[in-house]
Amino acid sequence: LVQLVTSGGGSVQGGGSLRLSCTISGLEDTSSCMGWFRQAEGKGREGVASIFSHFEGNTYYAGPVQGRFTISLDSAKKTLYLQMNSLKPEDTAMYYCAASEGGAYCRSALPPDVYMDHWGQGTLVTVSA
């Protein structure tokens, strides 16, 4: 059974920082695609950042977060992180971590949510002006 447990959300003022964590268990594929997605109220779910577990240099970001967010993976701890700096009110959303059994998509691009096989429970990030 694959489980993703997300933590680290909260409320912060604009310009502030938060770090999200996602502990992954039960995922045996050593070449997996992992990522963060978000869904703002009234909007669809969108990709934020992704990383290819076999080669952690393969990271991709959505345009609005490029240069402000950093995705990383601690393979020993089996934990995925999203460091979010210079937060803006438009970053307010429920954030989800996700993983796929295969990593092919993440080698070259930010994957769509339909590509992901497993999802965490979500954590709310609220950024005030």
Side-chain angles (χ1 to χ4, degrees), residues 31-110:
S31 298
S32 300
C33 181
M34 300 176 183
W36 291 95
F37 295 76
R38 68 185 181 185
Q39 187 167 19
E41 188 172 350
K43 296 186 178 181
R45 189 162 54 190
E46 62 177 1
V48 174
S50 66
I51 188 168
F52 177 43
S53 66
H54 187 63
F55 179 55
E56 294 167 19
N58 281 101
T59 58
Y60 294 93
Y61 297 91
V65 308
Q66 184 78 44
R68 299 188 296 121
F69 290 11
T70 302
I71 188 171
S72 61
L73 175 65
D74 185 327
S75 297
K77 295 182 179 179
K78 297 184 180 180
T79 301
L80 184 70
Y81 299 100
L82 185 68
Q83 178 67 43
M84 305 184 293
N85 298 328
S86 302
L87 282 161
K88 303 176 181 180
E90 51 264 44
D91 295 318
T92 295
M94 188 71 76
Y95 283 72
Y96 301 88
C97 65
S100 73
E101 298 288 349
Y105 205 115
C106 275
R107 294 177 185 175
S108 58
L110 185 67

Side-chain angles (χ1 to χ4, degrees), residues 13-32:
Q13 284 192 326
S17 298
L18 285 172
R19 189 177 79 158
L20 306 183
S21 300
C22 176
T23 302
I24 303 170
S25 60
L27 189 65
E28 299 183 2
D29 192 334
T30 58
S31 298
S32 300

